[in-house]
Amino acid sequence: MITQKINKSEIYLLSGPAEIKVNSGLVSVIGAEFNEGKRFNVPTGKRVPIEILLDGKLEINFGDTGRIEVLEKRTIPELWDELAEKIFKEKRRKILILGEVDTGKSFFTTYISNKLIKNKVTVGILDCDVGQSDVGPPGTLGLAICDKEFLFLSSQPADEIFFIGSLSPGLHLTSFITGIDKLTTYAVTKTDFLIIDTTGWVQGDGGRQVKQSKIDIIQPDLIILLQRNKELEHLVRTVHPDNIFRLPVSKKASNTSQGDRKALRELVSINYFKNSKSYSISLDKIKTERSYFKSGYELSLNNEKVEYAERLSAWEGILAFVTELLTPDELADLKKEHNVFNIRQFKTGTEKYLTVALLDKNRRALGLGNIEKFDFKDKAIILHSPISADNFKKVEIIQFGSNRTNFSGKEMGFISPGSL
Amino acid sequence: MSFSESDFPGLISLIEGTLKKYKNSDFAVALVNEIIRVYNRVPLYPGIAGMCAGTMAQTVTPDKIKAGDEVLVELEGSPSQFGTVKEISSDEITVGNSKISISETVSILKLNKNTLEEIWPTLIFPEEV
């Protein structure tokens, strides 16, 4: 433990892991203020600037790689403060933040949120980065409603989640856009300001399409562009200039490698699923969404490889769960027998680790689960989920996605969209 | 202009381009099969399958070839040969059942089956299922 004397106007950079107690004085950390007696933690891998607002002393307990260094000047531009004031004074309620990957969108969101919360308002943060979620588990959109200052977005519990079932919106565009609409509509009734933190997907057909749709749906009162040059200008050509605010990307914004991204994502996932319990849910009681499974009528197929089958709507034909894939001859016989053109085959066992959302009767997501198996003999789905037994009793709908995650939160690949 | 809302049209174009580009149809089919194999490993990311496709045919020098590699050997004045390398020495390469003098080769293309591991290693998952 060290005691650090601090003087007004000094700036420090603190690298975690470290536990800090303010013995005396007043400090500001990413816009959140801490006075005498207050404590905060900086975890491993995180760095925060500490701005001294009043003289005093800090008590710091460092972990193995933790350290503190003096900075010559403030790293957060004055422009950010002016912007926070503008948002508050002009009541710009819906703020959309755009930027490529690694432009510091989450840090900026945290800072602006804290500055707004200081005015005793409620701030909603809608985290749309399904591949690098801070709010809610990976593969979901997360909404946090905040009325107290905070240091890290990832420490904010999700008040609502919307399941996408993929780490990229790419092949799940309709769910993605629907989720943004639903959570935005909900958030504006519960918060004074809503900040929408987005993915870094801003180029190419998909990136342009998604960002345009976001602007159309959210109708933001202000769009903040965090850009290095002019890489986002194509997205706002038709937006009124008064509704755009341009900020340069901080030189402190660091590049995160593919491997680090996965590791960070898995940390969130492991943390989310760490207290998972095994549950069984009756196939007769459960309803499904975003799947062919349980959307048709159970059917008996005369082939020993078929464990379970359903007749789907019209030309969709038959969905068959098979122990091994049917041969072309077997398929032809079954198609003829049941007068269909199409038989979808799903190999049983492939559902293992498939991540699903568990919804109540009002279609609100209670949490996520990872499937262990479809047990057609006992007509049940066995899955693992961190939600409480009481909440599990409320589950009436299972929403399917494409990601696989094992029971301790590790990524296990995907199933092909549309295969189930 | 309207946007393509998935990367599938790009993947189809790549397959079409592959079939047109290579006159040796066995090699072209092997490349297309490799594109499909990679896509099946990452069905959520047809764009990444497309990125991998771009590096599946690699021009190599004879010293970079070993037994078991699948190669397309372009020859001066003769039809190209595609197959698995059985043996290679400093002056001769055996592709399938054909012995080819290295001095007669114009170029050698190797079919790279590790593109996903090389380009996007975080999409390699344990095969526990």
Side-chain angles (χ1 to χ4, degrees):
Chain A
M1 197 262 288
I2 66 156
T3 303
Q4 176 80 40
K5 193 168 175 290
I6 51 174
N7 298 309
K8 189 181 172 185
S9 303
E10 283 177 337
I11 311 285
Y12 292 90
L13 183 66
L14 188 96
S15 306
E19 293 170 10
I20 300 94
K21 184 188 170 199
V22 181
N23 276 347
S24 58
L26 178 67
V27 303
S28 172
V29 188
I30 326 179
E33 290 184 5
F34 297 87
N35 58 13
E36 191 176 325
K38 294 274 169 63
R39 294 167 184 270
F40 59 92
N41 291 335
V42 179
T44 307
K46 297 275 187 189
R47 291 190 308 168
V48 294
I50 302 178
E51 190 174 355
I52 312 304
L53 303 179
L54 287 176
D55 294 357
K57 280 179 185 167
L58 298 181
E59 199 178 289
I60 310 175
N61 266 313
F62 286 114
D64 48 1
T65 54
R67 64 196 168 95
I68 192 164
E69 57 191 292
V70 182
L71 295 179
E72 281 181 12
K73 56 178 184 181
R74 199 170 184 247
T75 52
I76 295 171
E78 304 272 320
L79 201 55
W80 288 23
D81 298 306
E82 289 167 26
L83 177 58
E85 208 173 312
K86 176 186 170 78
I87 290 168
F88 180 71
K89 278 191 176 158
E90 296 178 7
K91 291 191 170 56
R92 305 281 189 130
R93 289 199 62 204
K94 289 182 283 180
I95 300 133
L96 180 66
I97 299 175
L98 301 179
E100 286 188 314
V101 289
D102 294 329
T103 48
K105 295 188 290 293
S106 296
F107 183 88
F108 176 75
T109 298
T110 304
Y111 189 80
I112 295 293
S113 300
N114 282 333
K115 286 287 177 183
L116 289 170
I117 289 167
K118 210 167 283 165
N119 295 303
K120 303 198 183 318
V121 297
T122 306
V123 176
I125 298 166
L126 175 53
D127 182 358
C128 302
D129 198 345
V130 287
Q132 223 57 56
S133 304
D134 281 310
V135 181
T140 64
L141 302 172
L143 172 69
I145 298 175
C146 313
D147 55 10
K148 290 186 180 65
E149 294 167 319
F150 58 92
L151 280 194
F152 302 106
L153 262 184
S154 51
S155 66
Q156 295 305 292
D159 291 90
E160 295 291 328
I161 59 169
F162 188 91
F163 184 60
I164 306 299
S166 167
L167 301 177
S168 156
L171 295 188
H172 295 73
L173 284 179
T174 50
S175 304
F176 187 68
I177 296 300
T178 305
I180 288 170
D181 184 36
K182 285 192 85 163
L183 291 184
T184 302
T185 305
Y186 174 80
V188 292
T189 66
K190 303 281 179 190
T191 60
D192 300 303
F193 293 90
L194 174 63
I195 301 177
I196 299 118
D197 187 6
T198 59
T199 66
W201 194 25
V202 293
Q203 282 112 10
D205 286 30
R208 285 172 179 247
Q209 177 88 1
V210 163
K211 291 299 179 286
Q212 181 64 60
S213 299
K214 276 184 191 169
I215 293 169
D216 287 345
I217 283 171
I218 296 164
Q219 296 186 28
D221 300 310
L222 188 65
I223 299 177
I224 297 169
L225 306 181
L226 279 166
Q227 54 185 350
R228 292 188 172 87
N229 295 301
K230 292 180 178 176
E231 67 271 16
L232 304 175
E233 295 297 332
H234 61 281
L235 301 171
V236 293
R237 293 268 186 238
T238 56
V239 176
H240 193 282
D242 288 351
N243 291 343
I244 304 169
F245 201 98
R246 295 170 176 82
L247 287 174
V249 173
S250 163
K251 290 193 176 83
K252 296 275 176 194
S254 54
N255 287 332
T256 316
S257 71
Q258 214 184 86
D260 286 348
R261 284 183 175 279
K262 184 176 180 181
L264 286 169
R265 196 167 59 228
E266 278 192 336
L267 265 182
V268 177
S269 181
I270 288 165
N271 195 39
Y272 180 80
F273 287 111
K274 68 182 171 194
N275 293 319
S276 287
K277 291 183 280 286
S278 175
Y279 292 107
S280 171
I281 196 157
S282 165
L283 274 179
D284 290 332
K285 287 183 184 163
I286 199 74
K287 298 184 184 90
T288 61
E289 286 188 353
R290 302 186 199 161
S291 75
Y292 288 103
F293 178 42
K294 290 281 296 168
S295 71
Y297 302 92
E298 198 174 334
L299 178 75
S300 179
L301 292 189
N302 186 22
N303 187 302
E304 60 183 19
K305 291 177 187 170
V306 180
E307 285 198 283
Y308 172 86
E310 283 179 33
R311 179 69 171 92
L312 303 174
S313 174
W315 58 262
E316 289 174 349
I318 289 170
L319 171 68
F321 288 79
V322 295
T323 51
E324 61 180 286
L325 292 179
L326 299 168
T327 65
D329 285 347
E330 287 171 326
L331 280 170
D333 288 347
L334 288 171
K335 283 179 187 175
K336 193 174 171 189
E337 187 183 340
H338 292 276
N339 195 26
V340 293
F341 292 108
N342 188 25
I343 296 181
R344 293 168 176 274
Q345 301 186 71
F346 187 89
K347 197 160 177 287
T348 48
T350 314
E351 74 277 10
K352 189 175 181 186
Y353 298 139
L354 187 59
T355 303
V356 294
L358 306 168
L359 277 58
D360 67 13
K361 64 181 177 189
N362 299 316
R363 301 183 64 252
R364 179 174 180 261
L366 298 164
L368 305 188
N370 296 318
I371 288 179
E372 183 177 326
K373 65 173 178 178
F374 296 148
D375 183 345
F376 293 115
K377 206 181 281 178
D378 288 337
K379 292 197 157 192
I381 298 176
I382 316 296
L383 55 83
H384 295 237
S385 172
I387 72 171
S388 68
D390 281 347
N391 262 347
F392 193 77
K393 285 180 194 153
K394 297 178 194 163
V395 175
E396 294 200 6
I397 300 164
I398 286 185
Q399 210 168 46
F400 284 90
S402 305
N403 277 343
R404 276 205 185 97
T405 317
N406 77 9
F407 307 138
S408 45
K410 285 251 176 205
E411 293 176 9
M412 296 297 288
F414 350 90
I415 65 163
S416 198
S419 62
L420 185 62
Chain B
M1 187 180 89
S2 66
F3 292 126
S4 152
E5 290 186 36
S6 87
D7 291 316
F8 284 110
L11 204 53
I12 298 292
S13 298
L14 256 163
I15 290 172
E16 187 185 18
T18 300
L19 293 172
K20 279 183 183 162
K21 182 175 176 181
Y22 297 103
K23 292 193 180 88
N24 185 307
S25 58
D26 289 344
F27 183 65
V29 168
L31 271 175
V32 170
N33 279 329
E34 182 59 15
I35 295 171
I36 292 166
R37 190 182 73 87
V38 170
Y39 165 70
N40 283 332
R41 294 174 77 187
V42 287
L44 282 185
Y45 303 106
I48 290 177
M51 282 169 69
C52 291
T55 61
M56 281 172 188
Q58 291 181 331
T59 303
V60 290
T61 49
D63 59 305
K64 300 286 182 209
I65 295 169
K66 58 184 188 311
D69 287 347
E70 288 178 63
V71 295
L72 174 72
V73 183
E74 295 285 356
L75 299 163
E76 188 76 56
S78 311
S80 58
Q81 295 279 333
F82 171 67
T84 305
V85 175
K86 280 191 176 163
E87 279 183 313
I88 183 157
S89 65
S90 56
D91 54 1
E92 198 174 69
I93 177 170
T94 308
V95 176
N97 294 321
S98 307
K99 285 187 187 296
I100 303 163
S101 166
I102 284 177
S103 62
E104 288 172 14
T105 63
V106 175
S107 68
I108 304 174
L109 283 175
K110 181 177 151 184
L111 177 58
N112 182 3
K113 292 191 164 182
N114 279 314
T115 51
L116 189 61
E117 284 81 355
E118 288 165 10
I119 293 177
W120 221 284
T122 54
L123 287 178
I124 310 298
F125 299 100
E127 291 182 15
E128 197 181 314
V129 180

